[in-house]
Amino acid sequence: MTLRAGLIQLNSSDDPVANLPRTQGLIAQAVGQGAKFVATPEVTNVLSTSRSHQKSVLQHEEQDQTLATLRKQAADLGIWLLIGSIGLLTEDTDGRFANRSFLIDPQGKIKARYDKIHMFDVQVTESETYRESDGYRPGETATLAETPFGTVGMSICYDMRFPHLYRQLAQAGATILTAPAAFSPVTGAAHWHSLLRARAIENGCFVIAPAQTGDHDIRKGKPRSTYGHSLVVDPWGEVLLDAGAEEGAYVVDLDLGQVEVARKRVPSLSHDRPFRLDRG
Ligand SMILES: O=C(O)CNC(=O)[C@H](CS)NC(=O)CCC(=O)C(=O)O
């Protein structure tokens, strides 16, 4: 079985009202090119560097216009849609947001939701520091969802540096791993392709990683750039799609039988063994 997948590479601003029609247009383009499963990047609704701005524009899940509109679009087009993530207000007393990924079915229903587990609290260079956990409350639940084209294991961005998450997802049946991202340009150039190819190879899974790209239009807060290079990797580790730097809709055909082929050639997923740690 072949699945035509669409990846939406975005250059989101910090204005959710401006971002939404662009995103809808690119989803329609991918579907116009035959995509049956479309995936968008992390923070599809708002890419912001200001907590106070986020507080003023983010919504609770029930009120969020990006979620409601894209659910309707998925239903109208009859497609599966991974909304890489939406920044949302939560009920938390500490006021932290959720960085939440949604898998939407062709009826527009929410099939699965996943809150990013690992927070990007990292000093990337002397002048570039991220403190994701200041604004976001980390999730505590790994998430799988059944689709007609396989079992999808969900993750977001920085999660891709934690291989045991994907191991568990693959051991539990995942054949497609999603890793929507807003990667930093510095770490992206150094690590992006290697991390994603490794996750695909070691688990015998397709990896689908739609990304934010370019210099973002940030009205409130510090400027921000992201790495782009939305990627699709097959279970043997071959890069089937690298979107480069431009915003756009990209489609690629996945031969789903390749999961079984790769796992037959190198069955490492079934060779995990317990071991002790000896400090000598
Ligand atoms: O804060 C937002 O608006 C949305 N979230 C992000 O952009 C997150 C946290 S700052 N980015 C990453 O996880 C990049 C990881 C990365 O670049 C790496 O692992 O090297």
Side-chain angles (χ1 to χ4, degrees), residues 78-222:
I79 56 158
W80 287 85
L81 176 67
L82 179 91
I83 307 173
S85 86
I86 298 181
L88 293 168
L89 300 177
T90 68
E91 306 299 336
D92 268 16
T93 44
D94 61 11
R96 287 193 294 176
F97 317 125
N99 192 348
R100 186 168 296 160
S101 191
F102 293 90
L103 183 65
I104 310 298
D105 76 11
Q107 285 72 49
K109 288 211 279 292
I110 297 172
K111 176 83 178 175
R113 41 168 83 64
Y114 164 76
D115 284 3
K116 185 178 186 179
I117 293 174
H118 303 94
M119 296 284 102
F120 192 48
D121 294 338
V122 176
Q123 177 149 13
V124 172
T125 63
E126 255 176 42
S127 60
E128 197 179 343
T129 302
Y130 298 86
R131 298 269 334 148
E132 186 173 25
S133 67
D134 279 354
Y136 291 94
R137 176 196 64 180
E140 295 175 345
T141 309
T143 303
L144 293 160
E146 300 299 333
T147 73
F149 44 86
T151 305
V152 174
M154 297 169 80
S155 74
I156 302 176
C157 201
Y158 187 52
D159 282 331
M160 75 181 63
R161 294 181 183 274
F162 301 84
H164 47 283
L165 169 62
Y166 302 87
R167 195 59 167 186
Q168 285 196 31
L169 290 169
Q171 299 285 21
T175 53
I176 297 180
L177 302 168
T178 54
F183 232 62
S184 91
V186 172
T187 57
H191 301 154
W192 171 257
H193 294 81
S194 301
L195 288 170
L196 292 168
R197 292 187 64 201
R199 298 298 84 81
I201 294 165
E202 68 204 8
N203 296 302
C205 287
F206 284 97
V207 168
I208 296 186
Q212 294 281 352
T213 192
D215 301 327
H216 296 274
D217 183 10
I218 306 285
R219 301 289 166 88
K220 307 265 169 54
K222 286 186 302 188

Side-chain angles (χ1 to χ4, degrees), residues 5-21:
L7 276 75
I8 307 305
Q9 180 155 283
L10 290 177
N11 176 241
S12 295
S13 74
D14 61 0
D15 177 3
V17 178
N19 293 335
L20 184 51

